[in-house]
Amino acid sequence: MTTETLAQLIFFAGLAQFGILTASALVPIRLNWRQELQALPRLQRQMYWVYGGYVVLSIIAFGLISTFNAAELAAGGGLARAFCGYVAVFWGIRLSLQWVFDVEEHLTAWWLRWGERVLTVLFTLFTIVYAWSALRL
């Protein structure tokens, strides 16, 4: 794979990560966090929202860095490889969670089932693209 092709893949992966945020925004609504988390003490509710915010900010950073620096990331410098390695691990862990989370009862409409499959494909592609960028010789 050429550096130019890899840069294009990183660029499009960066853009696609912004699409992931759409699904992220639906999670608190679909899972009714406001009501469901009321059973938790206030501090735990706050921490839950903060952790979610950190994940969202991480995805935004991945998307911005990837779209605006795709060529540098594809060039394979030390920092580029470290960043790509981290992103690959991030999405690889998220991909593995697809088979751990028990989401079936929440996939009540065709578009939710379809969306879950699309997310699985995207998580797989992100893991492959960034791992390739981090590990290529």
Side-chain angles (χ1 to χ4, degrees):
M1 178 180 310
T2 68
T3 301
E4 184 177 308
T5 301
L6 187 56
Q8 291 173 338
L9 290 173
I10 292 170
F11 176 81
F12 288 117
L15 291 179
Q17 287 174 87
F18 294 120
I20 296 292
L21 296 175
T22 303
S24 293
L26 291 175
V27 169
I29 297 165
R30 296 292 306 166
L31 298 182
N32 196 18
W33 278 8
R34 289 230 185 262
Q35 183 177 348
E36 295 295 329
L37 296 179
Q38 285 301 314
L40 296 175
R42 183 171 186 243
L43 176 60
Q44 290 176 332
R45 284 194 313 270
Q46 291 171 332
M47 290 173 65
Y48 211 87
W49 285 102
V50 168
Y51 294 155
Y54 274 107
V55 170
V56 167
L57 288 175
S58 293
I59 295 169
I60 290 170
F62 297 163
L64 289 172
I65 291 168
S66 296
T67 54
F68 289 111
N69 301 286
E72 282 185 64
L73 294 173
L79 183 57
R81 287 177 185 254
F83 172 78
C84 289
Y86 176 73
V87 177
V89 168
F90 179 95
W91 288 116
I93 290 170
R94 183 59 186 88
L95 175 62
S96 68
L97 292 173
Q98 284 295 93
W99 290 275
V100 174
F101 289 152
D102 186 15
V103 298
E104 207 54 42
E105 71 180 272
H106 300 286
L107 303 177
T108 56
W110 69 267
W111 61 274
L112 292 169
R113 289 186 295 278
W114 181 83
E116 199 249 347
R117 289 183 186 101
V118 169
L119 288 174
T120 302
V121 169
L122 288 173
F123 299 156
T124 302
L125 292 174
F126 295 157
T127 303
I128 291 169
V129 166
Y130 288 100
W132 181 270
S133 300
L135 300 173
R136 69 188 180 105
L137 301 174

